[in-house]
Amino acid sequence: MTIDEFNFAGKKAIVRVDFNVPLDDNGNVTDDTRIRGALPTLKKILNDGGAVIMMSHMGKPKGKVNPKLSLKQIVGKVSEKLGVEVKFAPDCANADAEAAALKPGEALLLENLRFYPEEEGKPVGVEKGTPEYDAAKAEMKDRQKNFAKKLASYADVYVNDAFGTAHRKHASTAVIADYFDKDSKMLGYLMEKEVKAIDNVMKNAQHPFTAIIGGSKVSSKLGVIKNLLDKVDNLIIGGGMGYTFIKAQGGHIGKSLHEDDLIPEALNVIKAAKEKGVNLSLSVATVCGQDFSNDTPRKTFPIDQIPDEWEGMDASEESIENWKKIIMSSKTILWNGPVGVFELPNFAHGTGEIAKAVAEATQKNGAYSLVGGGDSVAAINKFGLADKVSYVSTGGGAMLEAIEGKVLPGVAAIKG
């Protein structure tokens, strides 16, 4: 059952949203992107004549009540965006009265789910790897089921619209689905769009298919790189993780970021790319700094000849030109991770140029482009290009796991 086919008239829907939004010191929302992202789903329910119960986590309270992470702080902002006065239940596990009182067209927000350890299902205060931990984990599994059952009892229908937590098997993102029959649980519009965007890239890609993987560490993206080698025509590896590949081939990288223990894996990737006929494109020259600061002296060196006292900080013009040619000849583009220390303005040039090239390939050549991961999304937004690419993913971790080929529990709980 899709959300479009379902009529919510007279029904109560409990919706897992991702309202993990940034707040300032006074509890004001500084970026409401995630709230706006949930609106189509919430409005569909209300417009049908249904009532909506929203549930979300915020931050990492680790199973304890923390007023700084209370969702009460965002009630005003959610009300303003949704256009109805949102009611608030101060205890998500004891909201029977508030849920029962809801009338069609009304909205209720539950307090932070992670104030209860049952939401994440992790034992609290027991050390991992001990017999006590295993016992506590089994007991927590039962408590998690009861917690999920309680949340389910507030409503007739369950909608998961929180892609940012779809890779977690939490009470509200996966376990709760067991307490609804197959016609009473569905993905929200945001989740549907995310799943479709990933399918466009991973299952239905048009070729040439280029993946641009950046960021600081090989270790965090190794699974992604390996899975992509069977799918892409071009693999561009930039940013801090690139130096491990250069050092693996005997290059001199000065004091650039790298992971020595991943050199064997880097060599395996280089070898596998050759065997599979994938064009693996690494940086050829890099803009270096003497220390990790915006105003440090800058100098460009060949990527494998960086002097000892310098460190690679941004992609050079030469690397960018190579990468632009590849991007402009692509029909499908996946971009995850910056190609330089993009948070320092003097070293943000390379990442900005990649953003522009991906946008241009999309607009001029009709390429399908998917951008995800916190820094890539920040870059696309910083340069005002979010509406010039095909899709910007809201869930960094969930998107990475999907690209790695893993099944997302939040999707599987509904689709089976």
Side-chain angles (χ1 to χ4, degrees):
M1 178 69 75
T2 66
I3 185 166
D4 252 348
E5 296 163 348
F6 196 87
N7 184 358
F8 291 92
K11 304 263 188 215
K12 282 178 187 157
I14 189 159
V15 185
R16 177 52 157 105
V17 287
D18 184 1
F19 284 173
N20 185 23
V21 293
L23 304 173
D24 65 16
D25 293 339
N26 302 319
N28 299 312
V29 177
T30 55
D31 180 352
D32 63 7
T33 309
R34 287 177 164 168
I35 295 172
R36 290 199 318 265
L39 293 176
T41 292
L42 301 173
K43 286 186 165 164
K44 152 81 172 152
I45 296 163
L46 295 175
N47 293 343
D48 276 1
V52 70
I53 301 165
M54 297 166 272
M55 56 176 174
S56 178
H57 75 286
M58 183 180 275
K60 294 181 175 170
K62 305 212 162 132
K64 294 188 176 69
V65 175
N66 177 348
K68 283 202 171 101
L69 297 173
S70 171
L71 290 177
K72 189 169 187 158
Q73 302 170 95
I74 68 168
V75 170
K77 179 57 89 177
V78 178
S79 301
E80 173 201 320
K81 294 285 168 199
L82 195 52
V84 300
E85 199 180 317
V86 174
K87 302 170 194 303
F88 184 68
D91 180 347
C92 64
N94 291 293
D96 306 74
E98 292 93 339
L102 266 195
K103 295 181 182 65
E106 292 186 339
L108 171 70
L109 176 64
L110 305 182
E111 180 56 286
N112 193 338
L113 294 160
R114 287 190 190 169
F115 283 178
Y116 282 86
E118 289 83 354
E119 161 63 4
E120 294 183 88
K122 286 182 194 149
V124 180
V126 199
E127 212 176 315
K128 251 188 176 167
T130 60
E132 290 80 27
Y133 183 85
D134 296 337
K137 203 172 170 188
E139 189 233 358
M140 179 53 88
K141 274 256 176 295
D142 289 335
R143 281 171 42 197
Q144 187 182 41
K145 283 180 186 161
N146 290 332
F147 179 70
K149 192 177 182 179
K150 179 69 178 204
L151 296 171
S153 72
Y154 303 148
D156 310 299
V157 192
Y158 168 62
V159 183
N160 188 354
D161 209 22
F163 184 73
T165 54
H167 57 313
R168 304 274 179 244
K169 195 170 180 179
H170 291 169
S172 67
T173 59
V175 185
I176 186 174
D178 293 343
Y179 301 99
F180 293 91
D181 66 44
K182 67 174 185 359
D183 294 329
S184 304
K185 54 185 168 188
M186 63 209 71
L187 300 177
Y189 288 121
L190 186 64
M191 278 279 269
E192 277 187 349
K193 281 197 320 205
E194 292 275 0
V195 171
K196 187 174 172 226
I198 286 165
D199 281 351
N200 279 345
V201 168
M202 299 308 288
K203 291 181 184 163
N204 318 316
Q206 281 193 288
H207 294 270
F209 174 8
T210 297
I212 307 152
I213 305 293
S216 53
K217 291 185 169 162
V218 182
S219 48
S220 59
K221 300 203 179 152
L222 189 63
V224 168
I225 291 169
K226 285 180 168 172
N227 196 37
L228 286 171
L229 284 173
D230 286 323
K231 304 200 167 19
V232 301
D233 304 291
N234 306 294
L235 177 61
I236 294 170
I237 293 182
M241 65 167 66
Y243 301 105
T244 301
F245 286 84
I246 300 303
K247 188 174 177 182
Q249 298 173 87
H252 202 290
I253 58 168
K255 54 178 188 177
S256 306
L257 190 72
H258 63 285
E259 296 170 286
D260 282 336
D261 55 330
L262 281 157
I263 282 178
E265 288 287 7
L267 289 169
N268 286 340
V269 167
I270 294 167
K271 185 167 164 257
K274 268 207 181 84
E275 285 166 2
K276 294 173 194 285
V278 174
N279 169 32
L280 174 63
S281 181
L282 298 166
S283 178
V284 287
T286 188
V287 179
C288 297
Q290 283 184 308
D291 60 69
F292 199 83
S293 68
N294 192 46
D295 302 318
T296 186
R298 278 179 290 172
K299 210 166 174 189
T300 301
F301 295 102
I303 193 83
D304 55 356
Q305 294 164 42
I306 303 172
D308 284 346
E309 62 280 10
W310 292 79
E311 67 178 302
M313 304 270 280
D314 195 11
S316 67
E317 287 302 332
E318 203 185 338
S319 299
I320 293 163
E321 284 313 306
N322 288 345
W323 291 342
K324 273 187 180 166
K325 283 189 190 115
I326 296 170
I327 291 167
M328 293 312 289
S329 69
S330 303
K331 279 288 174 234
T332 302
I333 303 162
L334 167 71
W335 178 27
N336 178 279
V339 298
V341 187
F342 138 87
E343 54 275 27
L344 302 177
N346 283 339
F347 297 99
H349 177 70
T351 301
E353 289 301 299
I354 294 287
K356 288 178 198 156
V358 172
E360 198 183 332
T362 311
Q363 295 297 317
K364 282 196 177 162
N365 303 346
Y368 183 87
S369 52
L370 170 59
V371 178
D375 291 328
S376 318
V377 173
I380 279 282
N381 288 332
K382 180 180 174 177
F383 299 105
L385 299 168
D387 57 346
K388 301 279 188 286
V389 297
S390 307
Y391 196 75
V392 178
S393 175
T394 55
M399 180 182 126
L400 276 180
E401 291 206 7
I403 296 164
E404 223 177 294
K406 290 181 179 171
V407 173
L408 301 179
V411 178
I414 283 166
K415 291 193 154 184

